[in-house]
Amino acid sequence: MEVKIGIAQMNKYAMSECGDSVEIAERPRGGVSVILADGQGSGKSARTTSLAVVNKTSALIADGARDGAVARAVHDYLYALKDGKVSSTLAIISADLDTQTVVFCRNSNCPVLVKQSYGLDVYDEEINPIGVHKRMKPLTYEMPLDLGMILVSYSDGIQAAGRKRGRAVDTDHLYRIINENEAQDAAFIAESILEYALELDDYRPGDDMTVVVMGLCDKEDTHKIRKIAASFPW
């Protein structure tokens, strides 16, 4: 099995820094997690918040903590760091090879979309962000690893795309992008969803936009070479 991860991101229009942060963390007993945080507000202050969240999350995963416990601990950390006055969304999507399961945790107003052999499920139950309520727990889901699975999450810049121009995201279009592609196309799926959201905002995004995609597919390389490709335009 091979885990493919695609990430596509765009700053809010006229902002030099993105308030969303993404991190990929290797799990100590096998597997990988992708972490997405959206700090309150935009620009440098939001970036500082989201970076603190993903860095703490990554460190706790590397220490061997379970995802649900990680999300609770990161909430407590942000609550103490910002005195309960700053929020952040948090989504953790993990392929855990030790338990042979997919685990994902949400403290986000945006869903996690999961494509399996039988169809597409949308996990969008209401949940508060981390950092502002004294007691907080994530919505946590676990399911068996299955070849061909695709998991997608995104920040609220995607969800709100087009609203200021009297438009709305067509969720059926998002579902088609996912359903018409395969697990190995994770990067293409992420870029396609971002491109669609940018079109709705006339390429002047009203908020920071980030899409993360995880796909589980057959190994393409018998030598088990790990590869990461990244592009950071300035």
Side-chain angles (χ1 to χ4, degrees), residues 102-113:
V102 164
V103 182
F104 51 98
C105 296
R106 285 181 55 239
N107 279 108
S108 172
N109 57 334
C110 297
V112 173
L113 313 177

Side-chain angles (χ1 to χ4, degrees), residues 104-231:
F104 51 98
C105 296
R106 285 181 55 239
N107 279 108
S108 172
N109 57 334
C110 297
V112 173
L113 313 177
V114 181
K115 176 188 174 184
Q116 299 190 69
S117 56
Y118 59 79
L120 184 71
D121 291 324
V122 180
Y123 295 84
D124 61 354
E125 298 94 323
E126 186 174 345
I127 186 70
N128 290 320
I130 64 172
V132 292
H133 301 281
K134 192 169 185 179
R135 297 187 181 277
M136 174 59 59
K137 62 180 181 179
L139 292 172
T140 304
Y141 314 82
E142 186 172 9
M143 58 191 66
L145 282 173
D146 188 17
L147 281 176
M149 287 182 75
I150 301 173
L151 299 98
V152 179
S153 192
Y154 44 79
S155 63
D156 58 5
I158 300 293
Q159 191 155 274
R163 286 183 186 171
K164 294 180 180 179
R165 294 164 175 80
R167 305 166 188 163
V169 170
D170 179 0
T171 53
D172 287 338
H173 183 76
L174 299 185
Y175 303 159
R176 281 196 299 274
I177 291 173
I178 299 168
N179 284 322
E180 291 174 0
N181 288 282
E182 305 299 328
Q184 59 265 31
D185 303 319
F188 178 78
I189 294 169
E191 292 166 10
S192 297
I193 293 174
L194 179 65
E195 181 72 19
Y196 171 60
L198 288 172
E199 287 178 4
L200 291 175
D201 268 348
D202 295 331
Y203 292 89
R204 295 186 175 188
D207 197 359
D208 303 305
M209 296 180 172
T210 305
V211 186
V212 296
V213 180
M214 177 181 287
L216 308 178
C217 58
D218 284 323
K219 292 194 296 290
E220 295 181 353
D221 191 328
T222 57
H223 301 293
K224 297 183 178 180
I225 299 172
R226 299 181 180 186
K227 305 172 186 176
I228 295 176
S231 176

